[in-house]
Amino acid sequence: MARDPRHDVLFEPVRLGPVTARNRFYQVPHCNGMGVQYPSAMAAMRGVKAEGGWAVICTEECDFHVTGDVSPAIEARLWSAKDVPILARMADAVHRHGSLAGCELVYGGAAGHNRQSREIPMAPSATPVFGPEPGQARAMDKEDIRNFRRWHRQAALRARDAGFDIVYVYAAHNLCLMQHFISRRYNRRTDEYGGSIENRTRLMREVIEDTKEAVGATMAVAVRFAVDELAGPDAITHDGDGAAVVELLAELPDLWDVNISEWDNDSQTARFAEEGYQEDFIGFVKSKTSKPVIGVGRYTSADRMVSLVNKGVLDMIGAARPSIADPFLPKKIEEGRIEDIRECIGCNICVSGDWMHMPMRCTQNPTKGEEWRRGWHPEKIEPKASDASVLIVGAGPAGLECARALGQRGYRVTLAEAATELGGHLNRVSGLPGLASWARVRDYRTGQIQTMSNVEVFLDSRLDAAQVREFGFDHVAIATGSAWRGDGVGRAHHNPIPGAEQAHVVTPDDVIAGVELEGPVVIYDDDDYFMASVLAEKLRGEGHEVIYLTPEVDVANWTHNTMEQSRIQARLLELGVDIHASRKLTSIGPDNVELACAYTGRTSALDAGSVVLVTMRLPDDALYRELMADDAALKAAGVASVTRIGDCLAPGLIAAAVYGGHKFARELDADLPSNDEVPFRREVMGLSNDWPVV
Ligand SMILES: Cc1cc2nc3c(=O)[nH]c(=O)nc-3n(C[C@H](O)[C@H](O)[C@H](O)COP(=O)(O)O)c2cc1C
Ligand code: SF4
């Protein structure tokens, strides 16, 4: 297919100091939970994106000195020459596909706790380290500043030795020293590095100059700068200090990569922000500099990207999440295959990997993090290894992905769905407040399946075991999903909650189906993810009085990992939801509920007209059990395997369901190791020869 000529502008090269990007697609720095601990996995993940057409591929944060150690976050590292080969592997993977590699040097300062090195963190002025940790950073003296500049310079040289084309001077996310110098909130110095904005920008200016002097002949020097901290007039604002910094340093770097701070403001989810949510803040930057400007905002629409370039807002389209969800997004635009783009849904499951110090996952892209480990390519897949036919029962996230990937392999696939439309629980969830974009998980897959002549879809087709056997498929994948449990059993309760059997006690499935509720409605969240909070929003929107109970210390506790928790809590408070945290629901009466303090066990009561229990889900695996109950009949029907996938096996994240469906498709007819073996590649740390020491 030919590219839409309107998109041509996106494929123009852009000069970045001494190097040239082949188009306008720029993968901004993003961590991935692999970094220094899973180096080949990280390198392969970046290489795949270069193959997918991103002209620039950056590392994640890369700490470069023991006094600026960002552990336990798993990031890149350039403490010494010993670290160079790891990053050289990434640069090499990127270069192999004709892209430029960028390295984002970070020095955590007060935002890093130096947990590995145990060195004392440093800041412009003495301040508690960020986060709930009983330590402080000490104020830097002039020698510290000289040291810092030298360390940064040495790191830039190491980045050059690793083969990078771009090196960053980083002042964003409130995660690094140079931003702390600029922000009045942390800089209370009275010397030439404090006071006026010129003075607070001094260190950044010096570091840019040092870096240019050290490596600028061959590498572009990028600045990543948060033009607004969204923290009021005392902080950096885009019409105050943010604009002043860009003006003061305008022509010094080779490119400006601008955004808003902190990280939760920069990487907002679709529940709280639309595509392009940073434009009001970063829009001014191009008027202050002639250097290329890169910006972000969950951009997945090619038309919008074109308009940003044409309107003079951005020169290159920065992306973290869109490049995670679809590493081939640029190539698909280039080839006029817009409908093949797997658009990011804005859920931040990718971000949760970083917070939990594990390799990143992505809801839309099940191959994320598996590029090297399992050899999974986001666009390519092994052709079928037999003429086997596969029946998939259930077209939710697992069934749809399974059908799509098996179809891509060339198998004959039949997808049978009991409902009258494809999507399973994605249809229900995406109708809830703020979650419309989650339907992209369904839409991408249904779009792909429609083009596959070897995938047949049957709607309104609830199958029983006899029908499944009658069809005589070689393999059957059961993806019949799950249903919310109605008796209160879950994390906090190992037995049913007394009173849960009453008619006014309902589940999220009932609420979504439109059950009539009496107020006040008590929502009991023992699930900790999004569901209870979106139901609270929905019911407040419908005019109900809503009481939110949770045994956790705050609402939707797990969403700290998606950086949504504080926004969710604020939204519920603003909507007038009555929140009772650290409370277990101990019994349900006809018109009230009894609670117990999660710490003391002290009880209290609240009026309740209806109770919604959001605790756990049960697999909807009746068909599977029915089939497995008659092994002889299965054999007689010629069915070689029956497998549960997705929520039907174990309810969890949509990302886990998509992954489960994909894994089944990848592994069909594959020569797999026994389950006594580790099923993927891994790197084991090299032991030092310096042993024994004591
Ligand atoms: C999983 C994840 C990790 C990130 N890690 C970094 C990082 O290491 N350094 C950085 O400057 N920005 C980091 N970011 C922020 C992104 O670079 C980007 O500015 C932000 O996500 C908004 O862009 P997007 O909407 O295209 O995702 C990260 C974002 C995500 C989603
Ligand atoms: S996990 Fe969600 S937010 Fe992150 S890239 Fe994938 S779809 Fe986008």
Side-chain angles (χ1 to χ4, degrees):
M1 223 183 257
R3 165 168 95 219
D4 184 334
R6 285 176 310 138
H7 300 156
D8 285 353
V9 69
L10 298 174
F11 296 91
E12 292 168 353
V14 181
R15 184 135 195 93
L16 306 171
V19 296
T20 301
R22 64 185 148 124
N23 62 38
R24 296 186 188 268
F25 293 91
Y26 192 112
Q27 182 243 275
V28 288
H30 74 74
C31 38
N32 45 86
M34 294 186 269
V36 74
Q37 273 194 32
Y38 307 95
S40 294
M42 186 272 284
M45 179 270 289
R46 303 290 189 198
V48 159
K49 293 208 224 186
E51 186 190 348
W54 300 88
V56 176
I57 308 282
C58 296
T59 60
E60 57 275 53
E61 286 190 344
C62 175
D63 64 5
F64 58 87
H65 194 264
V66 288
T67 57
D69 150 29
V70 299
S71 58
I74 306 175
E75 309 292 335
R77 177 153 284 173
L78 272 178
W79 283 5
S80 73
K82 264 189 176 182
D83 300 304
V84 167
I86 289 182
L87 284 178
R89 180 161 290 191
M90 173 195 146
D92 179 48
V94 168
H95 289 157
R96 243 181 279 150
H97 297 286
S99 301
L100 301 174
C103 180
E104 185 187 57
L105 299 177
V106 64
Y107 188 91
H113 306 159
N114 296 349
R115 288 187 176 125
Q116 182 175 351
S117 68
R118 297 183 66 180
E119 297 291 335
I120 302 293
M122 297 195 290
S125 309
T127 180
V129 293
F130 300 174
E133 177 137 337
Q136 292 196 183
R138 67 176 175 82
M140 290 168 83
D141 61 23
K142 294 287 174 55
E143 191 183 345
D144 294 324
I145 291 177
R146 279 193 296 276
N147 286 338
F148 170 74
R149 287 177 57 185
R150 194 178 61 257
W151 298 333
H152 198 286
R153 191 177 193 284
Q154 289 167 347
L157 290 166
R158 289 197 284 272
R160 184 198 61 191
D161 293 346
F164 284 92
D165 310 286
I166 301 171
V167 64
Y168 267 79
V169 174
Y170 177 43
H173 299 113
N174 206 20
L175 289 175
C176 46
L177 184 75
M178 276 176 281
Q179 184 175 355
H180 303 153
F181 264 84
I182 292 167
S183 182
R184 268 189 297 240
R185 292 187 293 165
Y186 305 106
N187 186 339
R188 292 180 291 278
R189 300 177 73 95
T190 52
D191 62 4
E192 68 269 34
Y193 289 95
S196 67
I197 187 63
E198 287 80 4
N199 281 356
R200 283 180 279 128
T201 308
R202 187 178 307 278
L203 180 62
M204 177 113 153
R205 171 188 290 281
E206 288 172 345
V207 172
I208 299 170
E209 284 167 354
D210 293 343
T211 313
K212 289 212 82 156
E213 198 260 323
V215 299
T218 56
M219 295 174 84
V221 176
V223 161
R224 186 155 227 213
F225 176 56
V227 296
D228 205 307
E229 297 184 314
L230 269 59
D234 279 348
I236 299 171
T237 56
H238 68 288
D239 47 6
D241 282 353
V245 169
V246 179
E247 213 163 274
L248 284 166
L249 304 177
E251 302 301 314
L252 215 49
D254 293 312
L255 67 101
W256 284 90
D257 171 358
V258 287
N259 64 356
I260 54 178
S261 180
E262 302 189 0
W263 187 15
D264 64 331
N265 289 325
D266 185 27
S267 300
Q268 289 182 55
T269 60
R271 189 168 168 189
F272 294 97
E274 299 283 335
E275 180 170 348
Y277 54 89
Q278 307 206 14
E279 283 164 30
D280 288 346
F281 300 98
I282 61 171
F284 78 89
V285 177
K286 264 195 74 65
S287 69
K288 307 257 181 219
T289 176
S290 68
K291 301 293 168 143
V293 175
I294 290 110
V296 286
R298 236 177 40 246
Y299 290 117
T300 58
S301 149
D303 291 346
R304 183 156 193 155
M305 296 175 195
V306 168
S307 94
L308 287 168
V309 175
N310 288 344
K311 281 194 304 195
V313 178
L314 296 178
D315 296 293
M316 295 186 76
I317 308 300
R321 292 165 294 177
S323 74
I324 294 167
D326 196 338
F328 275 62
L329 182 146
K331 215 165 207 136
K332 289 175 183 176
I333 298 175
E334 189 172 21
E335 292 170 359
R337 296 192 291 125
I338 299 288
E339 63 293 343
D340 289 342
I341 294 173
R342 210 168 33 243
E343 285 184 282
C344 166
I345 71 167
C347 62
N348 276 6
I349 289 301
C350 49
V351 168
S352 74
D354 200 55
W355 287 104
M356 297 191 294
H357 314 313
M358 54 183 250
M360 163 190 283
R361 306 164 290 184
C362 171
T363 304
Q364 274 285 53
N365 177 5
T367 67
K368 183 54 56 186
E370 304 290 359
E371 298 87 348
W372 176 77
R373 197 168 82 150
R374 292 186 191 266
W376 290 0
H377 189 280
E379 299 298 314
K380 299 178 205 152
I381 194 162
E382 281 290 302
K384 66 177 183 174
S386 74
D387 286 330
S389 58
V390 187
L391 170 67
I392 302 166
V393 186
L400 283 174
E401 173 59 15
C402 188
R404 188 207 63 75
L406 283 173
Q408 189 187 359
R409 290 190 66 188
Y411 283 98
R412 268 183 306 124
V413 178
T414 298
L415 177 61
E417 166 57 46
T420 51
E421 52 186 7
L422 298 175
H425 93 279
L426 292 168
N427 297 333
R428 300 189 283 280
V429 165
S430 60
L432 292 169
L435 304 185
S437 65
W438 291 23
R440 290 174 174 182
V441 175
R442 173 198 65 203
D443 297 342
Y444 163 70
R445 291 171 175 83
T446 52
Q448 297 293 299
I449 287 169
Q450 268 166 20
T451 66
M452 296 174 172
S453 57
N454 53 329
V455 180
E456 262 193 301
V457 175
F458 293 93
L459 294 173
D460 207 3
S461 304
R462 185 175 293 281
L463 303 180
D464 61 24
Q467 288 166 316
V468 170
R469 287 190 298 258
E470 239 168 68
F471 295 134
F473 287 92
D474 298 305
H475 301 282
V476 180
I478 311 277
T480 40
S482 63
W484 285 93
R485 191 167 179 143
D487 59 5
V489 171
R491 276 202 175 81
H493 303 267
H494 308 297
N495 293 302
I497 297 173
E501 67 291 346
Q502 298 168 88
H504 69 290
V505 182
V506 300
T507 68
D509 294 325
D510 299 324
V511 177
I512 293 168
V515 69
E516 288 242 339
L517 298 172
E518 292 292 322
V521 181
V522 168
I523 299 180
Y524 185 49
D525 182 12
D526 189 25
D527 167 59
D528 304 334
Y529 189 25
F530 68 93
M531 182 56 83
S533 65
V534 289
L535 291 183
E537 265 189 77
K538 171 182 159 65
L539 294 176
R540 276 304 290 147
E542 291 167 7
H544 289 283
E545 186 185 336
V546 175
I547 299 170
Y548 192 112
L549 303 182
T550 174
E552 283 297 338
V553 294
D554 48 20
V555 305
N557 183 267
W558 191 79
T559 62
H560 282 283
N561 295 307
T562 57
M563 304 195 300
E564 292 173 293
Q565 197 286 326
S566 60
R567 284 190 160 78
I568 295 175
Q569 186 117 7
R571 181 170 283 178
L572 296 196
L573 287 169
E574 264 156 22
L575 287 171
V577 174
D578 183 16
I579 297 170
H580 296 252
S582 308
R583 294 286 180 282
K584 283 189 187 177
L585 178 57
T586 50
S587 69
I588 305 168
D591 53 14
N592 71 354
V593 289
E594 190 184 85
L595 330 174
C597 170
Y599 299 102
T600 64
R602 200 170 296 145
T603 56
S604 56
L606 290 170
D607 289 346
S610 310
V611 178
V612 186
L613 295 177
V614 189
T615 61
M616 67 176 283
R617 286 174 285 161
L618 289 170
D620 197 347
D621 59 0
L623 176 62
Y624 173 80
R625 284 185 282 111
E626 206 188 328
L627 282 165
M628 298 310 279
D630 195 344
D631 198 34
L634 270 182
K635 279 209 179 88
V639 179
S641 74
V642 179
T643 311
R644 286 166 294 177
I645 57 173
D647 287 355
C648 171
L649 178 61
L653 296 175
I654 295 171
V658 170
Y659 183 84
H662 190 84
K663 187 160 181 279
F664 176 88
R666 288 266 176 186
E667 294 183 346
L668 188 67
D669 291 330
D671 191 12
L672 298 173
S674 96
N675 59 12
D676 292 344
E677 311 291 323
V678 178
F680 42 73
R681 291 191 191 96
R682 67 194 181 112
E683 275 159 332
V684 178
M685 200 166 284
L687 283 178
S688 167
N689 293 329
D690 201 5
W691 179 262
V693 175
V694 284

